[in-house]
Amino acid sequence: MPRFFVDQPLAGAPAELNLPPGAARHVQVLRLQPGATITLFDGSGLEWQAEVLNMGRSEVGVRLVSSQAVQRELRQDVTLAVVIPANDRMDGIVEKATELGAFAIQPLMSERSVLRLAGERADKKVAHWQGVAVAACEQSGRTCVPRIAPVLSLSAWLQSLGTADDERRWLLSPTAAQPLAAQAAAARTVVLSGPEGGLSAAEEDAARARGFVAMQLGPRILRADTAPLAVLGWLALGELA
């Protein structure tokens, strides 16, 4: 059954309503007809079954039939703090991280960043990545959309962090002596991953000063767009054990 994200609260909404433009456009692209059944979600954790009532040139009317709470999220909140890779590889990170259950994604720039964003260009990229996350939620069955945070420099982001008392913090480093291994569950995990050339020694030291523990993922050097997804997949699969 087609699933669509609705960027407005559905709880307490009228039983009959017009879909917002984004969702309406997707319904029209699929050429769904009145009487078709669709699934809607608004990011609250609920799903609504709805029936298409009418199709206009720019409007799609639906009737909300029923709602149910579903649980398809990870038991822990995992934030990926990723130095933005080059060549639009961030799109793939956002898409796959959403499918794997990421709670939030923090795009960063570091000393060795190839791609540098600021101002309106950065805002447009964040909006684009948020759209990628929404599409991945529609496909994967998630009902909570991960937040794509504004682009920050690594130093500014580290300075904004509070204490690490309520979360574990991992710094992915190929030179770390400590391998990623089974650990006690945590309510929150923040994974910091560097760019193609890695973080500088000074940046790694700054991360350690903010409570990050350096972890390595084995003998092979993973690409900047592979390493954070490997960790997230490992955490997600660990919850199935």
Side-chain angles (χ1 to χ4, degrees):
M1 184 184 304
R3 300 179 78 251
F4 305 104
F5 174 67
V6 175
D7 191 15
Q8 66 184 52
L10 291 176
E16 296 184 4
L17 70 156
N18 287 331
L19 294 179
R25 183 168 58 253
H26 289 311
V27 171
Q28 291 170 328
V29 167
L30 290 177
R31 298 183 179 180
L32 299 179
Q33 299 301 311
T37 301
I38 60 176
T39 300
L40 304 176
F41 65 102
D42 62 0
S44 66
L46 295 175
E47 278 186 343
W48 279 262
Q49 302 306 308
E51 177 188 358
V52 176
L53 294 179
N54 54 74
M55 302 274 289
R57 296 187 65 180
S58 60
E59 293 184 345
V60 175
V62 300
R63 176 189 295 113
L64 301 180
V65 178
S66 63
S67 65
Q68 63 177 347
V70 297
Q71 174 51 30
R72 301 190 184 109
E73 303 301 311
L74 298 183
R75 292 193 292 270
Q76 61 180 305
D77 293 344
V78 181
T79 295
L80 295 186
V82 181
V83 177
I84 306 167
N87 301 325
D88 292 326
R89 290 191 180 125
M90 192 68 177
D91 285 25
I93 292 176
V94 171
E95 179 183 72
K96 302 310 178 188
T98 300
E99 292 177 15
L100 290 167
F103 173 76
I105 299 172
Q106 172 63 67
L108 297 171
M109 294 182 296
S110 69
E111 291 180 18
R112 296 171 180 167
S113 290
V114 175
L115 180 64
R116 296 190 175 274
L117 300 171
E120 183 178 357
R121 187 176 176 217
D123 294 340
K124 287 183 177 179
K125 277 291 188 181
V126 170
H128 168 72
W129 293 327
Q130 193 68 67
V132 171
V134 166
C137 283
E138 291 176 336
Q139 178 273 324
S140 65
R142 290 188 63 180
T143 55
C144 297
V145 180
R147 175 177 179 263
I148 312 301
V151 177
L152 292 175
S153 69
L154 175 59
S155 60
W157 177 70
L158 288 173
Q159 291 172 9
S160 73
L161 296 177
T163 62
D165 297 339
D166 61 342
E167 65 187 17
R168 59 184 174 188
R169 297 175 177 175
W170 292 343
L171 163 65
L172 303 187
S173 173
T175 61
Q178 183 169 344
L180 193 63
Q183 300 186 17
R188 283 178 50 82
T189 300
V190 181
V191 180
L192 171 58
S193 183
E196 287 85 346
L199 298 176
S200 69
E203 289 173 326
E204 289 203 3
D205 288 343
R208 288 187 180 94
R210 300 301 292 173
F212 283 84
V213 177
M215 299 283 188
Q216 57 101 346
L217 303 179
R220 294 174 298 280
I221 304 299
L222 301 184
R223 297 176 67 117
D225 53 330
T226 303
L229 296 177
V231 175
L232 182 56
W234 182 81
L235 289 169
L237 289 173
E239 294 194 358
L240 300 178

